[in-house]
Amino acid sequence: MPVAGVPVYKGPMSSPDKTVHVIGAGPAGLMAAERLARAGVAVVVHEAMPSAARKFLMAGRGGLNLTHSEPLEGFTGRYGEASGTVGAWLERFSPTHLIGWAEGLGQPVFTGSSGRVFPRAMKASPLLRAWLGRLTELGVEVRTRSRWTGRRDGGWVFETADGEQVERPDAVVLALGGASWPRLGSDGRWREPLEAEGVEVAPFRPSNVGFDVAWSEVFAERFAGQPLKPVALTFGETTVRGEAMATRYGLEGGAVYALSAPLRDAIERDGTATLTVDLRPDLTIEALAGRLAKGRGKDSASNWLRKAAGLSPVAVGLLREIPGELPAGADKLARRIKAVRLTLTGVQGLARAISSVGGVRLDGVDERLMLKTLPGVFVAGEMLDWEAPTGGYLLQASLASGVVAAEGVLDWLAEDSRTGA
């Protein structure tokens, strides 16, 4: 049954006597299960946690960001070194396709002023309920508390509430996630059994993560949890406008996450990284200097900066974190406000990261996302070694990889049938 707005699989359909097991009930795994079931395959989904898609639900608590309205050329560039590979996934399941899929589940969407696309309900739970209902209608079996532990004698071994179970499906899709937010299920425990099978796995590192700053105790105590907005953050040749959040340990937030990959790499290489913060990105230096040139009169410095420069208390506090006195001249002070240099001294760990980079190397799978060392075993989602900033790019690529892996399974099963293997 086709879904409005979603590309139709044009390859060979399979027969119900073929069984595919999907290991991992996150977005990539559930999407692979849906595509396989629509093609006539019997599908079983294994999930180690007590319920499906826990990380997906947590990510949607503050407003589920499905995808982004950015033109596809710029969209694919968000994936850095993996842009070519992920771009091919998006050809099969684009942002337009994702929107059609969501609306087919009875979840209309809207595009925010930032270009991000959200379901009108803003939450993940209504979409997930509708999705799981659709999978049930398609005959997909979801087994929770079923943790994959490895392979033995060609079979797939699972720890379940009823003891150890060994399964022998015709093909397998691995969609076990990366290593961020491990308490929600993405704990990376799959790495050891895969490496035992000769699969090369890149070390996990945090992505979309906060960074350490050596705040004074006064700043940390007074301003932790307060937003800096709007700001423009610059690292290297890249500038990102958005919002950041002061924390006790340092700095986090959407604008920070957009720069997290190069910042993380710089800190790993050099020990620190310097981030430049523009506290008034909507004003030129000249316009800001003009406001400051009027003088402060009887106002305290903080009140004057609030009134004349339009700075919030946390922004004023950030200015005061820079060693030395504030510049006396309006022009110099304006330049300081437009370019506060912060030294980032460390990276928060995987437990606090929104996502991770690392996992199964992209050169270890073919264009169908089948492992080169394990025929009939496909990989999707954050298990693969790619990363993207928040803003809809992560979920979009994860879902698209599930589509590619599922269609790869169908092609491989057809080849297997033709050769009589």
Side-chain angles (χ1 to χ4, degrees):
M1 181 189 304
V3 178
V6 177
V8 176
Y9 171 67
K10 297 180 181 179
M13 303 295 274
S14 190
S15 58
D17 63 339
K18 296 291 186 181
T19 299
V20 179
H21 284 219
V22 176
I23 306 178
L30 294 180
M31 180 58 77
E34 179 178 342
R35 301 292 277 187
L36 287 164
R38 287 188 180 282
V41 174
V43 182
V44 176
V45 178
H46 298 265
E47 172 54 51
M49 302 298 284
S51 57
R54 289 196 165 194
K55 188 175 177 182
F56 176 71
L57 286 172
M58 178 64 76
R61 286 181 63 182
L64 179 63
N65 188 186
L66 289 171
T67 186
H68 202 285
S69 61
E70 183 178 21
L72 205 54
E73 181 179 351
F75 201 111
T76 56
R78 302 290 184 172
Y79 300 96
E81 294 180 0
S83 59
T85 298
V86 178
W89 304 348
L90 300 184
E91 290 179 6
R92 283 305 303 147
F93 193 73
S94 70
T96 300
H97 295 138
L98 195 162
I99 289 170
W101 169 82
E103 292 185 335
L105 285 169
Q107 299 299 310
V109 306
F110 72 96
T111 302
S113 58
S114 64
R116 299 182 180 196
V117 178
F118 301 88
R120 292 201 177 277
M122 288 299 289
K123 299 179 181 179
S125 51
L127 188 148
L128 181 60
R129 283 195 299 270
W131 196 3
L132 292 174
R134 172 185 285 176
L135 292 174
T136 298
E137 292 174 359
L138 289 169
V140 174
E141 179 186 355
V142 179
R143 301 177 186 173
T144 56
R145 303 182 189 274
S146 180
R147 178 181 290 276
W148 176 58
T149 59
R151 299 210 316 160
R152 186 170 65 237
D153 300 326
W156 295 77
V157 183
F158 296 87
E159 289 179 356
T160 76
D162 298 321
E164 182 180 277
Q165 302 288 334
V166 180
E167 303 289 345
R168 300 181 185 277
D170 295 291
V172 168
V173 176
L174 298 173
L176 287 151
S180 64
W181 287 1
R183 65 187 179 85
L184 298 178
S186 297
D187 55 18
R189 287 169 58 178
W190 51 264
R191 178 175 181 173
E192 186 174 339
L194 271 190
E195 287 183 327
E197 296 280 353
V199 177
E200 191 173 356
V201 180
F204 291 114
R205 296 185 292 158
S207 183
N208 291 300
V209 67
F211 293 87
D212 300 339
V213 181
W215 301 130
S216 67
E217 186 58 34
V218 171
F219 182 90
E221 184 67 30
R222 183 175 179 186
F223 297 115
Q226 294 194 26
L228 285 159
K229 61 179 183 179
V231 292
L233 306 183
T234 300
F235 181 69
E237 301 298 318
T238 304
T239 298
V240 176
R241 289 186 60 142
E243 181 175 331
M245 180 76 71
T247 68
R248 289 201 65 87
Y249 68 77
L251 207 61
E252 63 183 27
V256 178
Y257 301 151
L259 294 169
S260 67
L263 287 171
R264 176 200 63 220
D265 294 347
I267 292 172
E268 290 177 353
R269 181 184 66 246
D270 304 325
T272 63
T274 300
L275 180 68
T276 301
V277 183
D278 181 351
L279 295 171
R280 285 306 309 265
D282 52 332
L283 291 176
T284 65
I285 291 174
E286 294 75 18
L288 183 56
R291 294 187 179 195
L292 295 169
K294 298 176 182 179
R296 78 185 204 189
K298 295 181 180 180
D299 283 330
S300 67
S302 295
N303 279 337
W304 173 55
L305 289 169
R306 177 177 59 82
K307 295 176 182 178
L311 298 183
S312 65
V314 64
V316 174
L318 188 64
L319 274 179
R320 293 187 178 278
E321 285 292 287
I322 307 304
E325 295 293 326
L326 292 176
D331 183 71
K332 289 183 178 180
L333 181 54
R335 291 180 185 277
R336 170 72 63 84
I337 292 170
K338 295 282 291 179
V340 178
R341 292 167 64 83
L342 289 181
T343 299
L344 309 185
T345 59
V347 186
Q348 290 289 293
L350 286 164
R352 294 187 63 93
I354 291 176
S355 59
S356 61
V357 63
V360 175
R361 296 187 183 275
L362 292 176
D363 60 7
V365 295
D366 63 17
E367 67 280 359
R368 301 177 296 186
L369 298 184
M370 184 170 74
L371 287 168
K372 294 178 180 178
T373 56
L374 289 175
V377 181
F378 298 75
V379 184
E382 287 190 57
M383 280 187 71
L384 291 161
D385 185 15
W386 60 276
E387 65 179 320
T390 57
Y393 305 104
L394 279 165
L395 183 57
Q396 174 70 58
S398 291
L399 292 169
S401 71
V403 170
V404 172
E407 295 182 353
V409 169
L410 296 171
D411 289 343
W412 184 79
L413 289 175
E415 291 173 3
D416 197 44
S417 297
R418 288 196 296 269
T419 58

